[in-house]
């Protein structure tokens, strides 16, 4: 597997490259946003991108916007900013997870492994390959979602994971902690806001494709569910 590391700080790129190689992955490097886009276009086998936000020429948020036009590869965002709004902005644009600088490289690698697992494997193995929930058809093996009238919905790996988890357990309410631990496959850490942003983005995509149908429901103070019909 190949991982693209994007940061204008060459020391950070080199540090992460050492840890990535030690885990047996290949590394591609870029030092600004425009170079990152070029690297992705010339390396279609990149499995995940580690992306800094603050960079010259093209910042990380704009890179995510561009990437999400035609790719759903996992993106782990690096942020020197500590404000929640900066992290949420990145997640809204399509990042899958974030780590705040200064970081422990071992934590970064744990997030990388989790995102790669999430993108490679279906959420569960004991449910049908195809689920029909309201206006949606969810295909587990291919990680595809479409409406009953054939309109494709492009989801990130984590968005698909959330949708598949809820659809696999109709009427069951999952808390943000439950969703985080099952979909991110990590212990819950500041999970509520992260899950909230991903659910919001997922809802927007579903409603855009289904003329506003409310598939995912919020149970206030508890969590989220999809009702069986």
């Amino acid at each position: 597997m190949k991982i693209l590391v994007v940061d204008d700080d060459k020391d950070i790129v080199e540090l992460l490259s050492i840890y990535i190689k030690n885990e047996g992955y290949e590394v591609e490097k870029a030092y600004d946003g425009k170079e990152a886009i070029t690297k992705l276009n010339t390396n279609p086998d990149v499995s995940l991108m580690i992306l800094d936000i603050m960079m010259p020429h093209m910042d990380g948020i704009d890179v995510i916007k561009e990437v999400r036009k035609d790719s759903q590869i996992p993106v782990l965002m690096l942020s020197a900013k500590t404000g929640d709004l900066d992290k949420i902005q990145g997640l809204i644009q399509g990042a899958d997870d974030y780590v705040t600088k200064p970081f422990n490289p071992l934590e970064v690698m744990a997030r990388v492994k989790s995102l790669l697992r999430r993108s490679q494997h279906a959420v569960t193995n004991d449910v049908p390959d195809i689920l029909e929930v309201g206006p949606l058809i969810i295909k587990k093996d291919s990680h595809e979602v479409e409406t009953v009238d054939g309109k494709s919905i492009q989801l990130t790996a984590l968005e698909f994971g959330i949708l598949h988890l809820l659809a696999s357990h109709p009427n069951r309410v999952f808390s943000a902690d439950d969703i985080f631990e099952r979909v991110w496959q990590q212990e819950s850490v500041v999970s509520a806001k992260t899950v909230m942003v991903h659910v919001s983005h997922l809802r927007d995509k579903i409603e855009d494709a289904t003329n506003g149908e409310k598939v995912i429901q919020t149970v206030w103070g508890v969590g989220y569910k999809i009702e069986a019909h």
Side-chain angles (χ1 to χ4, degrees):
M1 283 186 189
K2 187 180 292 183
I3 295 172
L4 174 61
V5 183
V6 188
D7 198 308
D8 59 329
D9 186 329
K10 293 188 177 182
D11 290 338
I12 287 179
V13 173
E14 292 307 314
L15 174 65
L16 290 175
S17 295
I18 291 170
Y19 279 83
I20 291 168
K21 290 177 180 177
N22 284 344
E23 293 292 339
Y25 304 118
E26 296 180 57
V27 180
E28 283 290 335
K29 306 172 186 178
Y31 302 101
D32 62 57
K34 288 185 177 179
E35 186 180 6
I37 297 298
T38 299
K39 290 280 187 176
L40 285 174
N41 289 336
T42 56
N43 292 271
D45 56 339
V46 168
S47 299
L48 178 144
M49 176 167 57
I50 301 174
L51 178 67
D52 186 30
I53 289 184
M54 301 299 292
M55 295 184 296
H57 307 308
M58 185 180 192
D59 69 20
I61 299 297
D62 287 336
V63 172
I64 294 172
K65 290 180 184 177
E66 187 66 25
V67 168
R68 286 294 178 246
K69 290 179 181 178
D70 57 15
S71 174
Q72 300 302 321
I73 68 165
V75 176
L76 175 61
M77 187 173 63
L78 302 179
S79 174
K81 298 183 176 183
T82 56
D84 287 334
L85 288 177
D86 299 305
K87 298 168 186 174
I88 289 173
Q89 176 67 12
L91 294 171
I92 288 173
Q93 296 304 330
D96 295 283
D97 202 355
Y98 64 83
V99 175
T100 303
K101 297 179 180 178
F103 55 75
N104 182 332
L106 294 176
E107 179 187 0
V108 174
M109 291 312 303
R111 302 288 183 95
V112 164
K113 291 177 182 177
S114 177
L115 289 174
L116 288 173
R117 285 197 304 269
R118 179 69 260 125
S119 67
Q120 290 174 332
H121 302 295
V123 181
T124 59
N125 296 316
D126 57 352
V127 296
D129 291 340
I130 298 177
L131 294 171
E132 293 191 26
V133 179
L136 304 179
I137 298 173
I138 304 166
K139 301 178 181 179
K140 181 177 73 169
D141 289 341
S142 60
H143 276 215
E144 294 176 334
V145 179
E146 61 186 36
T147 63
V148 291
D149 56 0
K151 185 182 298 182
S152 178
I153 304 176
Q154 297 298 315
L155 302 181
T156 67
L158 289 172
E159 289 165 356
F160 181 89
I162 294 169
L163 178 61
H164 193 275
L165 174 66
L166 298 178
S168 302
H169 302 83
N171 300 320
R172 176 174 171 181
V173 180
F174 286 87
S175 69
D177 287 344
D178 290 336
I179 292 171
F180 192 89
E181 291 178 5
R182 286 169 175 258
V183 176
W184 274 254
Q185 297 180 359
Q186 301 173 29
E187 290 187 7
S188 175
V189 180
V190 295
S191 60
K193 290 180 180 177
T194 300
V195 171
M196 177 187 70
V197 171
H198 281 82
V199 169
S200 176
H201 210 202
L202 173 59
R203 278 178 167 151
D204 288 344
K205 291 181 177 181
I206 292 172
E207 290 176 17
D208 286 346
T210 61
N211 295 318
E213 290 210 35
K214 309 290 186 183
V215 175
I216 298 175
Q217 298 186 13
T218 299
V219 180
W220 293 108
V222 184
Y224 306 95
K225 70 174 181 177
I226 291 177
E227 286 193 348
H229 295 284

